[in-house]
């Protein structure tokens, strides 16, 4: 078994991050985000980054930290409604934003990981999403051409990994992480647990061939984007 375990998040990304890169980042809201790796990217000071992620975190948490540190030039995202600073920078023209329907974003990441350069989808036809893109009719359905996404670096969060980088996610924290892990030629995974033995093949959700480095982050802080509770009876 190869040992892909690195001592810290900062060491795992320090020689892989540079100005102008495209980063694909897993997570949905604040669930399943690689928060420790995001902090390492913030501390690296890399500028003019393009971020591909379902959303951009919230103010002061997740990818919102990179927005606050003025490290992001462009965003490809599906939902950004929880980040006030993002909205401000977008409206002021500081950020270049490409809004992508959520299913289309997932498929663009999957296509990039599978070596598919582009695909047609009916999602977005007749809306601003399709502006400037090729549109054609296929078997009676109008569809727009969407490009697969390949990033320079992918960052993901998983529950468990072995030293070969095989990953297993927990519940809904899986979300976009498997797709993001595939969508670049270099992926760093932060994990809560490291197994000294190979994971059972039937339980592997992302094969280690997609993972280049693993960082052990035991007991990470898991922030909640919005907490909604019932009053006690």
């Amino acid at each position: 078994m190869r040992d892909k375990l690195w001592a810290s998040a900062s060491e795992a990304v320090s020689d892989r991050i540079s100005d102008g890169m495209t980063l694909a980042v897993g997570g949905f809201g604040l669930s399943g985000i690689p928060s420790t790796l995001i902090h390492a990217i913030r501390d690296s000071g890399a500028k003019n980054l393009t971020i591909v992620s379902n959303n951009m975190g919230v103010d002061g948490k997740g990818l919102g930290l990179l927005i606050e540190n003025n490290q992001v030039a462009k965003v490809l995202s599906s939902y950004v409604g929880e980040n006030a600073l993002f909205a401000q920078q977008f409206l002021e023209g500081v950020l270049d934003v490409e809004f992508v329907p959520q299913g289309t974003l997932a498929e663009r990441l999957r296509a990039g990981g599978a070596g598919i350069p582009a695909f047609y989808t009916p999602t977005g036809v007749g809306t601003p999403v399709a502006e400037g893109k090729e549109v054609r009719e296929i078997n009676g359905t109008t569809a727009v051409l969407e490009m697969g996404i390949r990033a320079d670096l992918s960052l993901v969060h998983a529950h468990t990994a072995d030293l070969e980088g095989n990953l297993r996610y927990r519940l809904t924290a899986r979300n976009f992480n498997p797709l993001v892990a595939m969508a670049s030629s270099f992926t760093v995974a932060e994990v809560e647990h490291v197994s000294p033995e190979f994971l059972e093949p039937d339980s592997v959700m992302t094969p280690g061939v997609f993972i280049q480095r693993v960082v052990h982050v035991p007991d990470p802080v898991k922030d909640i984007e919005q907490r909604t509770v019932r009053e006690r009876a």
Side-chain angles (χ1 to χ4, degrees):
M1 184 188 299
R2 289 184 295 168
D3 188 347
K4 298 180 181 179
L5 188 64
W6 282 62
S8 69
S10 59
E11 292 179 7
V13 302
S14 62
D15 64 335
R16 304 302 307 188
I17 185 68
S18 60
D19 293 351
M21 293 183 72
T22 296
L23 273 62
V25 185
F28 189 106
L30 297 178
S31 174
I33 63 170
S35 55
T36 304
L37 290 171
I38 291 171
H39 276 84
I41 297 298
R42 181 198 62 184
D43 295 343
S44 75
K47 301 289 186 180
N48 298 318
L49 301 174
T50 295
I51 304 294
V52 182
S53 180
N54 177 66
N55 66 288
M56 289 299 293
V58 300
D59 296 284
K61 296 177 182 177
L63 290 168
L65 296 173
L66 305 187
I67 296 289
E68 290 182 357
N69 208 32
N70 296 313
Q71 292 175 266
V72 182
K74 182 176 180 179
V75 172
L76 284 76
S77 194
S78 174
Y79 175 68
V80 293
E82 302 298 331
N83 192 313
L85 182 58
F86 175 96
Q88 177 185 332
Q89 291 191 6
F90 171 53
L91 293 172
E92 292 176 350
V94 175
L95 281 178
D96 180 8
V97 180
E98 181 179 344
F99 289 106
V100 186
Q102 195 164 88
T104 301
L105 180 62
E107 183 63 9
R108 288 181 67 183
L109 288 164
R110 190 201 70 81
I116 299 171
F119 60 91
Y120 286 96
T121 174
T123 302
V125 170
T127 75
V129 167
E131 291 179 0
K133 299 175 183 176
E134 180 184 335
V135 176
R136 62 179 294 186
E137 186 171 311
I138 303 174
N139 296 326
T141 299
T142 304
V144 59
L145 183 67
E146 294 283 1
M147 308 303 292
I149 293 174
R150 289 293 292 176
D152 299 307
L153 176 65
S154 286
L155 307 176
V156 300
H157 174 97
H159 184 263
T160 305
D162 58 28
L163 298 178
E164 181 63 33
N166 297 302
L167 303 183
R168 185 166 62 230
Y169 308 96
R170 182 176 183 273
L171 304 176
T172 57
R174 182 190 310 194
N175 53 65
F176 276 80
N177 281 294
L179 302 172
V180 167
M182 296 171 59
S184 78
S185 57
F186 202 96
T187 299
V188 183
E190 69 171 62
V191 303
E192 300 175 40
H193 304 278
V194 176
S195 170
E197 305 293 335
F198 281 117
L199 297 182
E200 287 294 326
D202 285 344
S203 73
V204 172
M205 298 172 180
T206 292
V209 68
F210 292 111
I211 307 301
Q212 281 63 55
R213 293 175 183 175
V214 174
V215 178
H216 186 202
V217 183
D219 302 318
V221 174
K222 297 177 181 178
D223 294 304
I224 297 175
E225 192 168 349
Q226 294 186 14
R227 187 188 301 273
T228 303
V229 298
R230 293 182 299 176
E231 294 183 4
R232 291 186 180 274

